Amino acid sequence: MAKNGSPATTIAVFTLAGIALLVLTLLAAWYLQSPAPSAAAAPRAGIDSVAFDAEPLSPLPQSVALDADKVALGAKLFDDPRLSRDDSIACATCHPLDHAGSDGRRTARGIGGKVGAMNTPTVFNSGFNVCQFWDGRAASLEEQAAGPVRNPAEMGSDWPEIVGKLSQDRFYRNAFGHLYAGGVSAAAVRDALATFERSLVTPDARLDRYLRGDKAALDERESRGYRLFKDLGCASCHQGINVGGNFYAGLGVFGNFFGDRGKDAPEDQGRYNVTGQETDRHRFRVPSLRNVARTAPYFHDGSVPTLEQAIRLMGKYQLGRDLSDDEIGLIAAFLETLTGNYQGRPL
C-alpha cells in the first residue's frame, strides 16, 4: 500500500480502521457486561414498564417555600370583597377553594350580576403556569391580580379605591406596614395575593405517588389510561409538573373546531387578541389538567359540560382520532388520578 498509494491515503485508511476497531471493542465490552434479560426481570404490562426518568409528567412538590406572613395576608385579601367596587365580589367568589378553585359556572360572574365571556380557570397550582389567563396576557400572578380588579365585568374597581379602603383598616395598615416598606399600596396588594396563590399547591395526587415510586398508586384500568394518554400523544401538550400550562397551542389542529360548532366570537380568538398576529388566532395557553375531574365545565368558554365530552373533542380536533367509548373511559379514569390534596384533604 505504501508503494501504490500516497502517504495521506495510507494514513486515512489506517485511521478509519482504528476507529472501527475501537467501536467494535466498546460494543463487545458493553455486551459482555450487560446482564441477559430474563422472564423474572421483564417488566409487567402496565405502569411497571414505564421508566421514571422517561416520564413526560413530573410530581408536584410537597410544599413551596414562601414568606408565611405574606401568605397569610394574601389569604385574607383573597377573601375580602372590598377589592370590588361595590364590596360584593372577592377573589374567592370565582375561585372558591372548597370547590377546586373554580366556580363551576360556564363563564365568570361579576359585580351587578354581569356575565363574562370566559370560563374561570382554577387558581390551584397556577404558580406553575408559564403565564396567566387563557390568552396569556399576564406574565405573572402579580400582573394577573390586576386583571379582575379593573375589569368592569368582574370587580370593576381600581387601585386607588382599593388602597383607600384597605388603608382605613387597622389590621391591613399594621400588616402591610410590617411586611412592605411602602405600607398599603397596589404593588404590595398584588404581591401578597400572588404569594398566597403560589401556596395553593395540591400535592399527593395518586399519579404523584406513582411518579415517586409507588407502583400500586394506580390500578390496572388507570394505568392503562395513563399509557393510552401517552401513546395517543395527549402528553405532547399536557406535560410537565402541571400537566399543561407551559405553552400555547391552537384549538383545532385536525379540523375546524370553531367552524364546525358555528361560533367564532371575539373570546374564541385566543392569543390573537393579545398579539394581533394571525398565527396566534385560536391559540390558547394549554390548560393544566391538575384536578381536572373537579373543575367542569371545560374549554376556554366553558362550553363543554363533562370530562368525557372534552376528551372526545380533544381526540378529534387535537389528535385526529375518533376515540372509542372504552378509550375515553380509560383516559377519564387516569385523569381522576390527578386530583390532589389541599391542606391534607382531597379536593
Side-chain angles (χ1 to χ4, degrees), residues 84 143 163 168 174 205 231 243 304:
S84 63
E143 188 177 345
V163 169
Q168 296 174 23
N174 291 338
D231 289 347
V243 198
V304 181

Side-chain angles (χ1 to χ4, degrees), residues 176-256:
F176 278 100
H178 172 70
L179 294 170
Y180 298 95
V184 182
S185 69
V189 172
R190 290 195 297 267
D191 181 78
L193 282 169
T195 302
F196 169 65
E197 289 172 355
R198 289 191 178 96
S199 77
L200 298 176
V201 180
T202 60
D204 288 328
R206 284 189 293 122
L207 181 70
D208 290 333
R209 298 203 299 271
Y210 159 68
L211 292 173
R212 290 193 172 97
D214 180 2
K215 302 305 182 184
L218 274 64
D219 65 24
E220 188 271 341
R221 181 172 173 78
E222 292 160 350
S223 67
R224 287 174 60 200
Y226 184 28
R227 181 176 296 281
L228 184 61
F229 182 85
K230 293 184 288 186
D231 289 347
L232 289 173
C234 306
S236 298
C237 291
H238 295 287
Q239 45 160 277
I241 195 169
N242 224 12
V243 198
N246 56 354
F247 65 96
Y248 302 99
L251 180 51
V253 176
F254 289 94
N256 188 346

Side-chain angles (χ1 to χ4, degrees), residues 147-161:
V149 163
R150 297 180 299 194
N151 189 329
E154 294 184 58
M155 291 178 158
S157 190
D158 57 54
W159 289 114
E161 179 178 350

